[in-house]
């Protein structure tokens, strides 16, 4: 696993998916991954709109030094873990903007066999999490990527909601130790598959 290049790419308006991504980064380090990029999707909403939500503008200001993801980062990575909140069971427009920019890489076959996995959040336990992950994975199928959803590969996945598509949580919630274990299981599966492909 140590030779796998891992990109963790998130969009977070008020901080939940940032927390998920930081937990994934910590898990990857624990698993011995040496090359990790934690990257944010560029915010496209004007600051005057963000200022209408105190948590949104606060999180934006606290994390604006996190590097912004680009298609160069996607090309660099062997494995990519995405994290984004749901918007009516779909990806946020900010995230879709990044996906829409990948055409040149896709045309050259540069995204084939990238190992990908997704995490998400919503305002309530049944707020579209599974739909959002499936929307993400549809794009990944067009890439020719290898989807490393967690399935039920670890008992802790049952204990944290049983989402076989990827870790999901309610927005604004703190991560429990078991949540972090579930995220680590997903990271381990993603990086492990990438290591096998790279070998």
């Amino acid at each position: 696993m140590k030779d796998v290049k891992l990109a963790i790419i998130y969009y977070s308006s008020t901080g939940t998916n940032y927390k998920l991504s930081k937990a994934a980064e910590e898990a990857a380090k624990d698993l011995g991954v040496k090359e990790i990029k934690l990257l944010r999707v560029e915010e496209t909403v004007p600051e005057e709109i963000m200022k209408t939500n105190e948590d949104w503008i606060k999180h934006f200001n606290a994390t604006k030094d996190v590097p912004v993801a680009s298609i160069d980062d996607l090309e660099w990575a062997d494995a990519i873990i995405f994290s984004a909140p749901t918007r009516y069971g779909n990806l946020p427009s900010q995230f879709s903007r990044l996906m829409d920019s990948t055409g040149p890489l896709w045309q050259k076959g540069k995204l084939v066999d990238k190992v990908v996995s997704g995490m998400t959040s919503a305002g309530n336990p049944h707020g579209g999490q599974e739909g959002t992950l499936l929307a993400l994975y549809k794009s990944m199928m067009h890439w020719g990527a290898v989807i490393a959803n967690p399935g039920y590969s670890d008992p802790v996945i049952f204990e944290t909601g049983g989402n076989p598509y990827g870790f999901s949580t309610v927005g604004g919630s703190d991560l429990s130790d078991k949540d972090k274990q579930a995220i680590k299981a997903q990271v381990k599966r993603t990086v492990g598959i990438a290591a096998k492909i790279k070998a």
Side-chain angles (χ1 to χ4, degrees):
M1 290 187 191
K2 65 182 180 179
D3 296 327
V4 171
K5 294 183 287 189
L6 174 65
I8 302 168
I9 298 175
Y10 75 91
Y11 173 72
S12 193
S13 51
T14 58
T16 299
N17 286 272
Y18 173 72
K19 288 179 191 175
L20 300 186
S21 298
K22 289 296 286 182
E25 180 186 35
E26 183 180 331
K29 288 177 180 177
D30 288 346
L31 292 165
V33 180
K34 301 296 183 192
E35 292 189 78
I36 306 168
K37 289 185 179 183
L38 178 70
L39 305 160
R40 66 181 173 90
V41 169
E42 187 173 14
E43 182 59 81
T44 58
V45 172
E47 283 197 44
E48 57 265 27
I49 301 296
M50 286 190 276
K51 285 176 181 175
T52 64
N53 181 324
E54 185 179 336
D55 291 335
W56 194 351
I57 192 66
K58 183 179 177 183
H59 176 70
F60 174 76
N61 287 326
T63 58
K64 59 180 160 184
D65 291 336
V66 175
V68 172
S70 72
I71 61 170
D72 291 338
D73 298 308
L74 297 173
E75 184 173 5
W76 168 86
D78 301 310
I80 308 162
I81 294 174
F82 295 106
S83 190
T86 182
R87 294 291 184 267
Y88 304 113
N90 279 299
L91 294 164
S93 61
Q94 295 90 338
F95 199 95
S96 295
R97 184 171 179 244
L98 175 65
M99 294 295 102
D100 289 347
S101 73
T102 62
L105 290 183
W106 170 78
Q107 288 175 329
K108 295 175 185 175
K110 298 286 189 179
L111 299 170
V112 173
D113 290 341
K114 299 288 183 184
V115 180
V116 299
S117 200
M119 303 185 293
T120 190
S121 66
N124 57 62
H126 303 288
Q129 290 98 326
E130 291 180 1
T132 298
L133 293 172
L134 290 171
L136 169 67
Y137 293 153
K138 279 193 291 185
S139 295
M140 302 301 98
M141 289 176 195
H142 284 262
W143 283 9
V146 177
I147 298 169
N149 61 298
Y152 297 110
S153 56
D154 190 293
V156 75
I157 293 162
F158 280 107
E159 297 166 19
T160 55
N163 188 340
Y165 305 106
F167 183 82
S168 61
T169 190
V170 174
S173 302
D174 289 328
L175 294 176
S176 68
D177 287 340
K178 285 201 173 177
D179 289 338
K180 291 177 181 178
Q181 289 171 34
I183 291 169
K184 187 171 186 177
Q186 185 168 346
V187 172
K188 183 178 180 181
R189 178 165 162 75
T190 304
V191 176
I193 292 170
K196 289 174 184 176
I197 290 173
K198 194 164 186 179

